[in-house]
Amino acid sequence: MTAISVPQGFETRTRHDELMSRHTSWHVGGPADLWFMPRDLADLSAFLGQLPGDVPVTWVGLGSNALVRDAGIRGVVICPHGSLNSLERIDETRIRAEAGVPCARIGRQAVKWGLGPAEFFAGIPGTLGGALAMNAGAWGQETWPRVEEVETVDRAGVIRRRSPSEYRVGYRSVVPPARGEWFVAATLKFERDAAASTESIRRLLERRLASQPIGEWSCGSVFTNPPGDHAARLIETAGLKGFSVGDAAVSTKHANFIINRGHARAADIEAVIRHVQETVARVHGVRLQTEVRILGETA
Ligand SMILES: Cc1cc2nc3c(=O)[nH]c(=O)nc-3n(C[C@H](O)[C@H](O)[C@H](O)COP(=O)(O)OP(=O)(O)OC[C@H]3O[C@@H](n4cnc5c(N)ncnc54)[C@H](O)[C@@H]3O)c2cc1C
């Protein structure tokens, strides 16, 4: 493990060897060399400006779509959750949210403001930053059609505004115009929606609860749906529900979820992922692609 010297003045917002299992919804992942939670945008920009250029930088939000390997992450891990937390209404239909704001808060607040379609955000257990990186979506809605502008920071701490046309956006895929740039905020545009209500959010969350193993340690859908089909159907009909390695198991409730039953390692989850991919390829002739982002080093 590399001892990274903390830029001067940032000691209270950094932690050495922070276990990533504390920051992922699968509750797995070894230590990050250095963990940084910025106080605000200016603090983040100053930190990056002072960080030696050869230190790798990784971002996580709520770790709800991240498989961090057992040997952890070299370099700095930046987490905006809990600090880049501002959510404001700019005008009748537009809001600005910083990257650390949980999607659930955006969904609930937009509905209170009478804006839609925003209910889908309420069921996504990540941050806005993660939703922008993933083009998160549910129930036929996605993040990027709502984006009017994003604000990013680069490795040197420079903040930029970018328009959606600069990104190549697809299903759970976002290709940025430049490497080494991360989302710090976005302006989202909705419509006045008289039907948007906390009741419709409640109904969507109930539908989730009925079909997904909510409450168990997972990362949501592990694989993207191949064109014209559903990963869950392919996995289930390949007989893989309940397949396990150690404490990592294909959910018996929703076959596209892998559950950590308590003491799974990232290596166990990766072994289940590989077995599912190989079996589905053999049975159905389809190679499933992971939606989940795999970060860090193997032990
Ligand atoms: C029970 C459950 C249900 C789920 N349901 C859905 C669903 O319906 N639809 C859906 O789309 N997803 C779903 N997910 C997956 C996940 O919640 C989303 O992908 C979410 O957008 C990830 O956000 P996060 O903040 O947790 O990102 P993380 O998991 O922390 O990170 C995901 C990726 O984004 C990158 N990233 C994070 N923040 C930033 C940033 N600020 N700038 C640049 N890159 C960044 C990370 O480096 C990583 O590559 C579900 C997950 C769970 C556990």
Side-chain angles (χ1 to χ4, degrees), residues 115-249:
L115 299 175
E119 293 96 321
F120 74 99
F121 273 124
I124 295 172
T127 59
L128 175 64
L132 290 167
M134 297 301 306
N135 191 22
W139 314 117
Q141 302 290 339
E142 288 182 331
T143 302
W144 276 80
R146 312 268 52 102
V147 175
E148 190 170 274
E149 180 180 78
V150 291
E151 294 159 53
T152 65
V153 67
D154 71 11
R155 185 59 184 73
V158 176
I159 308 244
R160 283 189 184 77
R161 293 175 180 278
R162 288 195 184 275
S163 112
S165 62
E166 296 178 74
Y167 292 80
R168 261 206 346 264
V169 177
Y171 161 56
R172 303 293 177 270
S173 154
V174 178
V175 181
R179 282 174 64 84
E181 234 180 75
W182 301 276
F183 300 108
V184 292
T187 301
L188 306 176
K189 188 166 172 42
F190 295 98
E191 285 144 38
R192 297 290 308 169
D193 183 355
S197 69
T198 46
E199 176 55 23
S200 49
I201 288 183
R202 197 187 57 75
R203 277 198 302 272
L204 287 181
L205 295 180
E206 254 175 23
R207 274 168 73 187
R208 247 176 213 279
L209 201 56
S211 60
Q212 299 177 358
I214 303 297
E216 297 189 67
W217 292 353
S218 84
C219 227
S221 293
V222 174
F223 303 99
T224 52
N225 289 321
D229 212 331
H230 290 278
R233 188 195 75 79
L234 295 168
I235 298 166
E236 182 169 354
T237 53
L240 288 163
K241 269 189 165 179
F243 172 80
S244 64
V245 174
D247 257 0

Side-chain angles (χ1 to χ4, degrees), residues 107-115 198:
R108 284 196 310 270
Q109 188 58 56
V111 160
K112 280 191 194 144
W113 284 328
L115 299 175
T198 46

Side-chain angles (χ1 to χ4, degrees), residues 258-281:
I258 295 175
I259 303 302
N260 175 0
R261 294 191 293 215
H263 298 98
R265 300 165 309 146
D268 299 327
I269 294 172
E270 274 199 89
V272 173
I273 288 174
R274 272 195 307 274
H275 181 77
V276 167
Q277 283 174 321
E278 284 159 13
T279 309
V280 166

